[in-house]
Amino acid sequence: MSYRILVTEAMSEDGPDWLRANGYEVKYGRGTDEKTLIEDLQDCDGVIPRLAVMSDAVISACPRLKVIARHGSGVDTVDLESCRRHGVRVVNTRGSNSVAVAEHAMLLVLACAKTLNVLQDRYRAGQFKEARKLAAGVEISGKTLGVFGFGQIGRRVAAMAHDGFGMKILAFDPFCKPESVPDYVALVSDRDEIFDNADFITLHMAATAENKHGIGAREFARMKKTACLINTARGSLVDEAALIEALRAGEIAGAGLDATEPEPADAASPLFRMENVIMTPHCGGSTKESKSRSSLGAAKGCDEVLTGKPITSPVL
Ligand SMILES: NC(=O)c1ccc[n+]([C@@H]2O[C@H](COP(=O)([O-])OP(=O)(O)OC[C@H]3O[C@@H](n4cnc5c(N)ncnc54)[C@H](O)[C@@H]3O)[C@@H](O)[C@H]2O)c1
């Protein structure tokens, strides 16, 4: 009998194709609500979830499940404690979308710096001359980028910003080994150094209970009035009400957000109506190339666990 893997949501077929070519059965999920996941998983040995939540209720109710291979790097959608109790291995595809997210962060840095929203909206409205008059972008060359979280993505952003755009880099990461930090990065131990000095702040740390809403009113008050916040990590890192207030009050100049809390953001959120805010729908990690890498990486992760091979990207 071959192993069966549940693919919960649409993804690149590269992973499922690889699984079938290697003797696995692939089952496509019918939905991501708890009840449907439990039903779908009854006859499955592994699962590849994207945003589907692997809760304790799901894990406890699926005794055949042996591996959860997260399509992407974040595992905040997986109850790790429950997996530990039930002996379910968890792997991810760490790094598969790092380039995509890093490029996206730079896109948002540039969009904020050049006030892209304003220019595009006015030009689209037929106001060519007014748009040109409003063009008051700043150069990012020579400016300081503050990087929170110096992991897979943070490192790439720092390299792109420094090597490609001549930015100065400050980084804060309490778990990062100083010897692993390139010369051009000033690793700071006091996060306030970043709020006080950076022209752009970009978030690349995992969301935890400890850092929930860790960027709030106090931090915005410290930031330069000309500074912008970029969040391509997780919405929960930022106190959104405080962000809205800081943008309204002119405490900071703008924000580029690929992640909000909740997701999707409320259609009535003032963030959608602010000209100095650019928002994308949590798609930073989704490029053609990264989708293929994530799908294939997750498929191979299932195989590694189920056949006892060394695991490329273990979580648990
Ligand atoms: N927008 C998207 O589509 C997308 C895609 C992939 C990942 N992400 C998110 O990007 C973030 C970074 O992902 P990654 O792959 O680089 O993860 P990673 O684990 O490689 O790096 C995270 C880094 O954050 C550091 N860190 C932890 N707590 C911190 C804190 N309180 N302050 C500063 N640093 C802290 C860790 O030491 C680690 O070096 C995660 O939140 C992830 O969920 C978003």
Side-chain angles (χ1 to χ4, degrees):
M1 191 188 75
S2 63
Y3 288 121
R4 189 174 294 126
I5 309 295
L6 179 72
V7 168
T8 58
E9 293 139 284
M11 62 182 69
S12 151
E13 277 302 300
D14 291 352
D17 284 347
W18 186 92
L19 285 168
R20 282 185 287 262
N22 285 274
Y24 286 85
E25 275 182 49
V26 176
K27 177 174 175 180
Y28 292 91
R30 296 167 301 130
T32 55
D33 60 283
E34 223 161 51
K35 185 172 169 289
T36 309
L37 281 172
I38 291 172
E39 285 170 11
D40 282 350
L41 274 168
Q42 288 309 306
D43 57 357
C44 292
D45 306 279
V47 58
I48 304 180
R50 291 190 71 175
L51 295 178
V53 176
M54 295 292 120
S55 65
D56 179 45
V58 172
I59 294 157
S60 306
C62 301
R64 187 165 154 181
L65 186 64
K66 297 172 192 68
V67 54
I68 296 174
R70 208 2 229 131
H71 177 290
S73 63
V75 285
D76 48 339
T77 47
V78 180
D79 188 326
L80 296 179
E81 190 40 49
S82 177
C83 289
R84 203 170 279 125
R85 270 189 282 116
H86 291 91
V88 175
R89 295 294 307 266
V90 181
V91 298
N92 65 1
T93 58
R94 197 159 184 260
S96 61
N97 52 15
S98 306
V99 172
V101 182
E103 287 183 356
H104 203 85
M106 289 312 300
L107 165 82
L108 295 177
V109 167
L110 284 164
C112 285
K114 311 295 174 193
T115 65
L116 188 64
N117 267 353
V118 180
L119 303 182
Q120 173 147 50
D121 287 355
R122 298 296 158 99
Y123 197 3
R124 277 194 171 153
Q127 301 169 357
F128 178 82
K129 279 189 185 158
E130 294 81 348
R132 291 199 74 221
K133 264 190 220 151
L134 282 170
V138 295
E139 293 171 6
I140 64 171
S141 176
K143 299 286 187 329
T144 299
L145 178 69
V147 181
F148 275 94
F150 209 65
Q152 300 266 334
I153 299 171
R155 283 170 191 271
R156 285 190 190 270
V157 175
M160 286 177 191
H162 175 266
D163 299 348
F165 293 98
M167 296 186 85
K168 297 174 196 145
I169 313 293
L170 295 176
F172 175 79
D173 187 327
F175 310 104
C176 167
K177 292 194 178 87
E179 61 273 21
S180 74
V181 173
D183 290 347
Y184 59 81
V185 175
L187 187 67
V188 299
S189 54
D190 176 0
R191 67 205 276 276
D192 283 344
E193 275 192 54
I194 293 191
F195 297 115
D196 294 350
N197 296 301
D199 300 296
F200 298 87
I201 292 181
T202 184
L203 307 183
H204 301 291
M205 61 277 212
T208 63
E210 289 74 44
N211 63 22
K212 188 175 167 72
H213 296 178
I215 316 281
R218 176 190 167 279
E219 288 69 28
F220 295 124
R222 288 193 87 111
M223 282 169 67
K224 294 182 186 180
K225 286 190 165 32
T226 51
C228 297
L229 177 77
I230 309 300
N231 188 2
T232 59
R234 286 292 182 265
S236 67
L237 297 169
V238 177
D239 177 343
E240 214 156 277
L243 171 65
I244 291 167
E245 196 39 50
L247 287 161
R248 269 195 186 129
E251 278 186 327
I252 66 170
L257 309 173
D258 188 48
T260 56
E261 188 186 51
E263 278 180 359
D266 188 337
S269 170
L271 291 170
F272 281 119
R273 296 190 300 279
M274 292 178 166
E275 276 193 323
N276 53 350
V277 176
I278 186 150
M279 285 165 80
T280 51
H282 202 137
C283 60
S286 299
T287 58
K288 198 169 171 231
E289 295 85 351
S290 71
K291 285 179 186 170
S292 167
R293 276 193 295 269
S294 298
S295 173
L296 196 55
K300 289 184 176 177
C302 287
D303 176 62
E304 287 166 359
V305 171
L306 293 170
T307 60
K309 296 191 181 95
I311 295 172
T312 308
S313 189
V315 176
L316 188 74

